[in-house]
Amino acid sequence: MSQRVVIDPITRIEGHLRIEVEVDENNVIQNAWSSSTLWRGIEVILKGRTPMDVGLIVQRICGVCTYSHYRCGTEAVENALGVKIPLNAKYLRSLMQTSLYMHDHIVHFYHLHGLDWVDVVSALSADPAKAAQVALKYTDKPIAAGEGELKAVQERVKGFVEKGQLGPFANAYWGNGTYKFTPEQNLIALSHYLKALEVQRVAAEMLAIFGGKQPHPQSLVVGGVTSVRDMLSPARLQEWKQKHAYVTDFIKRAYQADIVMAAEAFGTEPSVLGGVNVKNFLATDDFVLADGEYMFNGGVIMNGDLAGVSDINPDLIAEDVTHAWYSADTAQHPYDGTTVPNYTGFVERDTVYGKLPTLDGDGKYSWVKSPRYNGEPVEVGPLSSLLVSYARGNKVVVDAVNGLLARTGLPVEALFTTLGRTAARMLQTVIVADEGLRTFDALLTNIQSDEATYVKPEIDPAKEYVGHAMIEAPRGMLSHWIRIKGGKVENYQAVVPTTWNAGPKDANGKIGPYEASLIGLKLEDPTKPLEVIRIIHSFDPCMACSVHVMDFKGASLSEFKVSPNGL
Amino acid sequence: MDTHAALYEQGKQRLETLRSLPRRHDETIFDKMAQHGITRRDFMKWSASVTAMLALPLPFSTLVAEAAELADRVPLIWLHMAECTGCSESLVRADTPNLDTLIFDHISLEYHETLMAAAGWQAEENLEHALETYKGNYLLAVEGAIPTANNGAFLTVGCKGHTGLEIIKHAAEGAAAIVSVGTCASFGGVQAAYPNPTGAKGVHEVISKPVINLGGCPPSEKNIVGTLMYFIMFGKLPALDMFNRPKWAYGARVHDNCERRGRFDAGEFVEEFGDHGAKEGYCLYKVGCKGPYTYNNCPTERFNHHTSWPVLAGHGCMGCSEPNFWDDMADFEKPLGRQLLHGLDATADTIGAVILGATVVGIGAHAVASVFAQAKED
């Protein structure tokens, strides 16, 4: 007798995500559905506006990877208009991207994902003295993990747990058998959770130095960057470098150590040994190090074949809406896509929590489309980026990956797991922090003889332009596609990381990475589906990003079929 | 009794009432401060700066301090609607190590999807429990616009599939006060820009209770914290402008306190990004700055621990704390020119004159425009 489990809201993410799974009598997941339950319509809003404003508007797609959309939108317009920005602008954009990654990955691991790995209640029974010794096992210079600090953290949390008032930690899945850290390990990680709250603020300040603020920086323009005074100020440059050193220190002494600790503790836990069931990976060249040099490489890996990595062909990208709340007959390339919203609501049925409105898996069930590469679903994200660079023989990446495998004693196959996905994010952060300094040095050298930060773009209203940009956002490959006509935006589309990963099944019944990652997973208690949340969080969901629309092509809003609760 | 004395009395009584309520955290704010290495002296300095920010006389800083101490008596429920989570991100960026953060650590945050550990059914239970238990007493913060087209079906949240519109109406009923955090919750924001395909609206447009609007995309954490402190202190809304924004934060134009204002008055303008003027910090009006039409304290408070703000980074203000700015203030890299904009079109004319070289006339007309704006608000 199968049972339906509904999880909504998936918390500790950006946006609104609903996951439903069907488990058999042994609580093994047989089927899974991923749905975004919000639609905002930003691409519709872009139509008819000046291409110069695109970056600022698309940035509002997401307040987390806020800079990624800003940059990608701006660069799509530059690509369309044929604008070549000055070298300093490239470097500054790369430094802002470095800052964003150092911020975003830390926040994701500790504050959004961390509580899926760390049992806060268990940490309270730890012996702080013993925990301080345990911390030394994973790094010879632990941070926020001395006996006194750990004791203070424990006391801090103990107070409200004893009163039964957990505050933001209330009603979670504490005690679930798939938490594998010892009390001491939980305490170390909990201490880092709190420390990371401070560190992430400094990482955000790094971006604000050249970006004006974070979230929603405001210093990119079509043709370059505006923060020329900050770039030319030795004090500002030093401020960035000092904050960079502080954040890097935490990444090396806490984040890196915690992943090694997790690999050891969770290395035999079934719920994190699967979770990479779409073995196709897509990533693009990104992070300018010097003129023409990139930190990470682009390419496509199909069927997990690292030897067969190939170049991306942008023509092979298409989006399918068979099971999304839009109407279209066939999968469409982003330049020519249509979007006609067609909301069909929910279907009432029995679930583990009683009768509830549920997703109509046979029909339409999400505001997210299903992007496909050459007709196949692909995964994007830090794991994809590292695998592609690894397959390309990128020395820095090869050394980092091999180093971690040696350190943890895990085989290469361990990369193709939820654990591997989580570890890849950490490795990427370490590489970004280290290599980002090469960009910084290149900037310092260049400004000795070149202060240019901007070239004025020209638009001829009589001409039509088409362009796109592909970059790596913290959640994976992001592409923006634009058509310009009469000097205005004619059509605009964003194919974003979470769309690649979270989309519903397509016309051929092929399921995307989220759904595939859950099939075969056994739940300890279907009413408390911690394992599902842990796997979904490992993708770092960002739902507002994924919910985008394209061109209405004359479709009328009044034609939508709507049934709010599907009842 | 003068106005300030009456207000002080009101604050004292309010805090006395709060003091009689049960604490929701075992630790006092002072315990928490000690854990973060913050002294009582630091705390009093912070209280004084919040007092100044709220445009209150210095003696109120003892009330601010006491309000921070009693913040755990006021349950806070934070809901996400049609948004990008940028406002929550702004909130968690509060300075380090910093008392604003501690206030949030110390406040009774009952529901916040980005931060809470619970998920799914259990998260929804937490919300229902909080709405019921603290009925009539909780502070409701809303992030994001409310989609209203097609009965609100463009957003549903929770296992029960309620629309955002239903959730907001329900949550607003039992709220002691409602704060719209950010331009989306205040005025609809980016999704409400033309042609507004989801019928997105600000919270105040879909409920019938008073709402404080904190414009900004996102608002600084100072404006969020200051507003909450004001409510804790006095149990009522602060003085608001014509768009229901607290005057203490949105009472002055960005232009009025701008660090580049001297350049404006001297007629020194950046003509093109990256030019000599850009390197020298000239006024950004001609490359699109909307500071003259925008009310916010960005120049004085800045963002990210005072690290920067857009104008410092060489980009004009885009007017993000104003209603309909996505439509009314575009193109963002061109001067606004002579559009009508909530009665401030006089300012635009003025600037036109300044660009032509009539600086002195400009300054005079500026003062006139300020008086005019004041009259509109009152």
Side-chain angles (χ1 to χ4, degrees), chain A residues 117-440:
Chain A
W117 303 86
V118 181
D119 187 329
V120 172
V121 176
S122 154
L124 300 179
S125 58
D127 173 353
K130 201 172 142 199
Q133 290 304 310
V134 170
L136 282 166
K137 206 176 146 190
Y138 306 105
T139 167
D140 53 4
K141 287 177 287 185
I143 200 166
E147 182 184 345
E149 291 161 295
L150 292 172
K151 201 166 173 216
V153 166
Q154 200 177 37
E155 283 171 5
R156 208 176 146 187
V157 179
K158 210 169 217 167
F160 54 85
V161 171
E162 278 169 358
K163 284 184 73 185
Q165 287 177 334
L166 280 154
F169 300 140
N171 214 7
Y173 306 139
W174 313 126
N176 182 297
T178 66
Y179 280 119
K180 294 296 176 189
F181 280 144
T182 63
E184 283 70 29
Q185 290 172 327
N186 277 314
L187 182 58
I188 294 164
L190 178 61
S191 178
H192 289 163
Y193 172 100
L194 297 170
K195 180 73 183 172
L197 272 171
E198 277 175 42
V199 174
Q200 61 90 22
R201 287 178 210 120
V202 179
E205 289 160 26
M206 280 171 71
L207 206 161
I209 288 170
F210 299 120
K213 62 189 172 90
Q214 142 64 313
H216 297 330
Q218 203 164 312
S219 66
L220 301 193
V221 285
V222 175
V225 297
T226 67
S227 46
V228 59
R229 297 185 87 206
D230 301 295
M231 178 188 86
L232 294 175
S233 157
R236 280 305 237 189
L237 293 167
Q238 185 54 33
E239 197 181 340
W240 188 87
K241 201 172 177 186
Q242 184 270 329
K243 289 181 195 300
H244 175 277
Y246 171 80
V247 179
T248 302
D249 192 47
F250 179 82
I251 291 167
K252 298 279 182 70
R253 292 166 61 197
Y255 191 3
Q256 189 165 251
D258 287 344
I259 291 293
V260 174
M261 182 168 86
E264 182 193 282
F266 286 81
T268 55
E269 163 54 35
S271 71
V272 299
L273 291 182
V276 181
N277 296 342
V278 169
K279 292 210 167 100
N280 308 323
F281 304 95
L282 188 61
T284 190
D285 290 321
D286 207 356
F287 283 91
V288 171
L289 292 169
D291 204 8
E293 276 185 59
Y294 293 101
M295 197 185 306
F296 300 115
N297 309 111
V300 189
I301 294 168
M302 301 303 282
N303 303 313
D305 177 16
L306 297 182
V309 61
S310 60
D311 292 344
I312 298 172
N313 177 355
D315 295 339
L316 297 182
I317 293 172
E319 294 197 289
D320 175 285
V321 298
T322 309
H323 291 279
W325 282 314
Y326 309 99
S327 302
D329 295 334
T330 54
Q332 296 161 324
H333 187 270
Y335 278 140
D336 304 308
T338 60
T339 296
V340 183
N342 178 13
Y343 184 68
T344 53
F346 296 137
V347 177
E348 191 171 356
R349 74 182 96 212
D350 283 327
T351 75
V352 292
Y353 307 113
K355 269 209 183 315
L356 285 177
T358 62
L359 298 173
D360 179 10
D362 298 328
K364 293 177 178 293
Y365 62 90
S366 178
W367 287 115
V368 179
K369 297 185 171 196
S370 305
R372 293 293 180 260
Y373 185 81
N374 202 16
E376 298 296 326
V378 301
E379 174 169 339
V380 299
L383 177 60
S384 299
S385 173
L386 285 200
L387 287 175
V388 168
S389 288
Y390 191 84
R392 295 276 192 198
N394 178 322
K395 187 171 182 318
V396 171
V397 171
V398 169
D399 288 351
V401 170
N402 288 346
L404 184 75
L405 293 175
R407 180 83 203 275
T408 56
L410 293 168
V412 179
E413 294 73 52
L415 291 171
F416 299 94
T417 62
T418 298
L419 188 62
R421 190 182 288 122
T422 305
R425 188 169 290 110
M426 177 279 291
L427 284 180
Q428 200 182 33
T429 318
V430 173
I431 295 169
V432 165
D434 282 344
E435 297 291 294
L437 284 180
R438 283 177 61 192
T439 314
F440 185 78

Side-chain angles (χ1 to χ4, degrees), chain A residues 6-16 18 37-42 44-45 49-50 52-53 56-57 59-64 70 103 107 111-112 115 152 155-156 159-160 163 165 167-174 193 197-198 200-202 204-205 208-216 218-222 225-230 232 236 239 243 341 343 346 353 356-357 367 451-456 488 527-529 533 544 552 557 560 562-565, chain B residues 23-27 32 35-36 80-87 89-90 92-98 101-102 105 109-126 134 147 150-163 166 184 190-198 217-218 259-260 263 271-275 277-281 302-305 307-310 312-320 325-327 330-333:
Chain A
V6 180
I7 313 167
D8 184 359
I10 301 274
T11 49
R12 286 181 277 122
I13 64 164
E14 194 297 318
H16 300 278
R18 180 184 185 99
T37 59
L38 167 67
W39 182 70
R40 294 166 77 211
I42 288 177
V44 175
I45 290 160
R49 292 175 193 259
T50 171
M52 303 307 160
D53 288 353
L56 289 169
I57 296 170
Q59 178 177 46
R60 269 64 191 186
I61 288 175
C62 182
V64 180
Y70 191 19
H103 177 266
V107 169
H111 306 122
L112 305 183
L115 301 177
E155 283 171 5
R156 208 176 146 187
F160 54 85
K163 284 184 73 185
Q165 287 177 334
F169 300 140
N171 214 7
Y173 306 139
W174 313 126
Y193 172 100
L197 272 171
E198 277 175 42
Q200 61 90 22
R201 287 178 210 120
V202 179
E205 289 160 26
I209 288 170
F210 299 120
K213 62 189 172 90
Q214 142 64 313
H216 297 330
Q218 203 164 312
S219 66
L220 301 193
V221 285
V222 175
V225 297
T226 67
S227 46
V228 59
R229 297 185 87 206
D230 301 295
L232 294 175
R236 280 305 237 189
E239 197 181 340
K243 289 181 195 300
Y343 184 68
F346 296 137
Y353 307 113
L356 285 177
W367 287 115
E451 294 186 353
T453 49
Y454 176 76
V455 289
K456 194 173 173 59
K488 304 285 184 195
T527 66
K528 292 178 178 171
I533 291 163
F552 271 106
L557 284 163
F560 294 180
V562 164
S563 158
N565 296 331
Chain B
R23 276 199 214 162
R24 259 181 286 274
H25 288 297
D26 213 22
E27 293 169 308
K32 283 192 182 289
Q35 286 158 5
H36 287 257
H80 290 81
M81 294 287 131
E83 44 83 22
C84 75
T85 314
C87 298
E89 289 277 330
S90 175
V92 300
R93 299 285 193 284
D95 318 345
T96 171
N98 148 299
T101 318
L102 288 185
D105 202 4
L109 187 55
E110 298 295 325
Y111 187 86
H112 189 295
E113 285 170 22
T114 319
L115 300 173
M116 66 197 293
W121 184 260
Q122 287 77 12
E124 211 170 1
E125 275 181 350
N126 286 5
Y134 307 117
N150 304 307
N151 298 321
F154 290 116
L155 169 64
T156 63
V157 190
C159 294
K160 292 168 190 163
H162 293 305
T163 64
E166 290 166 340
C184 293
V190 66
Q191 49 272 310
Y194 180 81
N196 192 355
T198 60
C217 187
E259 64 208 26
R260 298 188 189 221
R263 300 295 194 172
E271 302 288 337
E272 187 179 302
F273 294 117
D275 67 6
K279 289 176 196 165
E280 294 296 319
R302 295 189 177 179
F303 293 84
N304 304 98
H305 200 187
T307 300
S308 192
W309 67 296
L312 178 58
H315 194 292
C317 162
M318 62 188 284
C320 75
F325 80 98
W326 289 110
D327 293 330
D331 305 353
F332 294 109
E333 286 160 23

Side-chain angles (χ1 to χ4, degrees), chain B residues 125-158:
Chain B
E125 275 181 350
N126 286 5
L127 178 59
E128 284 161 12
H129 173 80
L131 291 175
E132 195 49 45
T133 310
Y134 307 117
K135 202 169 185 168
N137 297 314
Y138 58 83
L139 197 52
L140 178 67
V142 186
E143 176 174 358
I146 318 299
T148 62
N150 304 307
N151 298 321
F154 290 116
L155 169 64
T156 63
V157 190

